[in-house]
Amino acid sequence: MRGVVMYAPGDVRVEEREDARITEPTDAVIRVTATCICGSDLWPYRGIEALNGPTPMGHEYIGIVEQVGDDVRNIKVGDYVVGSFVASDNTCEICEAGYQSRCIHNVMMGSVGTQAELARIPLADGTLVATPGTPDADLVPSLLAASDVLGTGWFAAVAAEAGPGRTIAVVGDGAVGLSAVLAAKQLGAERIIVSSRHPERQTLAREFGATDIIEERGDAGAAKVKELTGGYGAHGVVEAVGTEESMWQAIHSARPGGYVGYVGVTHGVELNGLDLFFTGVHLHGGPAPVRRFLPELIQLIWDRAIDPGKVFDLTLPLDEAAEGYRAMDERRATKVLLTL
């Protein structure tokens, strides 16, 4: 099968890999119909995360089930499925509490590499959710978004306590931040303030429900949110970047007693305990339990109530994955969809 492999920072190749196959009785193998490049894939691409030799890439996927292991009961061959970027059994106590990404048996799908023609899905019954049927072509981008960025943005908005009468600020205008805007709007937020300096992303943020756009960052960004909220700060803030500056911007944008939903994969973030102590905010985040939200998100997409696939602004065939990485690295694209 063809698959994307990263050899070194900036060195992405599409080459023949060994076909995905059943290795555990709880596995399934899917034929991937669409996959994509994540902002977190740029950390090793830029040399910020170390690579341990040639590494298969990708953790977002949708596709058709081709094989199932002997212990798989709920998923069957021929199902069109969406899965989380973290495989989970969906039965342990952590999963039952709604935190499937931290399942005691979790498998990070990045270790599988789903930017490929085939993918082995561990813990298939707990990880995969079948769609009501074969989706129309125009629904594919949105269903793919549900595999990670939409589910992650949704979790961030939930963690930020988005709801009726609430003001929510969003730090980060990538695919996750934009998805959080959409989620906050769906959850009933009254006002959504987005930090963005990119005209195209600002336009989509407004389409998804943003009421205010600010271009300030860091302390200036937090001060602007306070100014827009009469000195109080937002009821909740989504942090969708993962830098120390973005984390403190989020924390300082929240009012005392407010909520920060942090989902940006952190790099170099250190929080001063005393400074944090006096903010009086709630911090809740980490790898999003996408599986918790998948049934609801798939139905919303199927009913055409939401269109999160608009975060994809460049579509390329799998063979041109290297160009997709370059485009995202150079900020010529927000998120790249790879077709097979």
Side-chain angles (χ1 to χ4, degrees):
M1 68 180 190
R2 290 176 303 135
V4 177
V5 179
M6 187 179 297
Y7 276 76
D11 184 1
V12 171
R13 311 176 196 178
V14 178
E15 59 187 30
E16 286 296 320
R17 293 174 49 198
E18 182 180 355
D19 280 357
R21 59 186 180 85
I22 301 291
T23 61
E24 299 288 340
T26 50
D27 289 347
V29 171
I30 68 169
R31 179 159 296 279
V32 178
T33 55
T35 183
C36 54
I37 301 169
C38 184
S40 64
D41 294 332
L42 297 181
W43 294 109
Y45 186 81
R46 292 168 173 165
I48 297 170
E49 275 184 11
L51 291 166
N52 185 21
T55 303
M57 297 300 295
H59 53 264
E60 298 154 284
Y61 55 96
I62 57 172
I64 300 168
V65 177
E66 289 208 338
Q67 303 173 51
V68 296
D70 291 341
D71 291 349
V72 175
R73 298 289 180 265
N74 302 326
I75 296 298
K76 63 184 185 299
V77 171
D79 281 349
Y80 201 104
V81 292
V82 183
S84 168
F85 70 96
V86 184
S88 61
D89 61 29
N90 206 34
T91 59
C92 80
E93 291 182 22
I94 306 302
C95 289
E96 289 182 342
Y99 290 87
Q100 291 91 334
S101 60
R102 299 293 82 210
C103 171
I104 59 170
H105 299 122
N106 81 82
V107 179
M108 301 300 291
M109 291 301 297
S111 67
V112 171
T114 63
Q115 292 169 9
E117 293 178 303
L118 299 169
R120 179 181 73 88
I121 312 300
L123 304 169
D125 275 340
T127 302
L128 298 174
V129 178
T131 62
T134 300
D136 294 337
D138 66 319
L139 291 182
V140 167
S142 289
L143 290 170
L144 178 59
S147 182
D148 184 351
V149 290
L150 174 61
T152 296
W154 203 277
F155 172 59
V158 168
E161 293 284 314
R166 299 277 180 147
T167 294
I168 301 297
V170 178
V171 180
D173 63 356
V176 169
L178 292 168
S179 297
V181 174
L182 183 155
K185 178 66 173 178
Q186 286 291 311
L187 293 167
E190 181 176 297
R191 190 176 189 185
I192 303 170
I193 304 168
V194 179
S195 181
S196 173
R197 294 178 176 177
H198 302 89
E200 315 82 27
R201 301 183 187 192
Q202 292 174 357
T203 298
L204 185 54
R206 288 194 181 279
E207 184 176 342
F208 278 174
T211 56
D212 302 84
I213 304 290
I214 63 173
E215 297 197 357
E216 295 85 351
R217 291 181 179 173
D219 291 342
K224 187 66 176 180
V225 171
K226 292 283 180 72
E227 177 188 326
L228 290 172
T229 55
Y232 286 102
H235 296 96
V237 186
V238 168
E239 191 288 314
V241 181
T243 65
E244 186 158 343
E245 180 185 58
S246 63
M247 182 66 89
W248 277 117
Q249 180 179 340
I251 291 168
H252 289 146
S253 294
R255 63 181 59 196
Y259 294 79
V260 174
Y262 62 95
V263 293
V265 181
T266 57
H267 288 79
V269 175
E270 296 184 4
L271 301 181
N272 180 287
L274 193 59
D275 290 346
L276 181 61
F277 182 79
F278 282 103
T279 64
V281 303
H282 302 76
L283 294 180
H284 185 192
V290 168
R291 180 60 180 81
R292 184 207 305 183
F293 306 107
L294 269 181
E296 177 185 3
L297 298 181
I298 289 171
Q299 196 61 54
L300 285 169
I301 291 164
W302 204 264
D303 294 342
R304 299 180 183 275
I306 58 174
D307 190 6
K310 290 181 178 180
V311 298
F312 294 105
D313 51 0
L314 179 61
T315 298
L316 295 170
L318 182 71
D319 287 338
E320 296 180 26
E323 168 55 23
Y325 276 81
R326 282 192 294 271
M328 285 182 62
D329 180 47
E330 297 167 5
R331 301 185 78 85
R332 291 184 284 112
T334 301
K335 191 165 180 66
V336 177
L337 187 149
L338 300 173
T339 59
L340 294 101

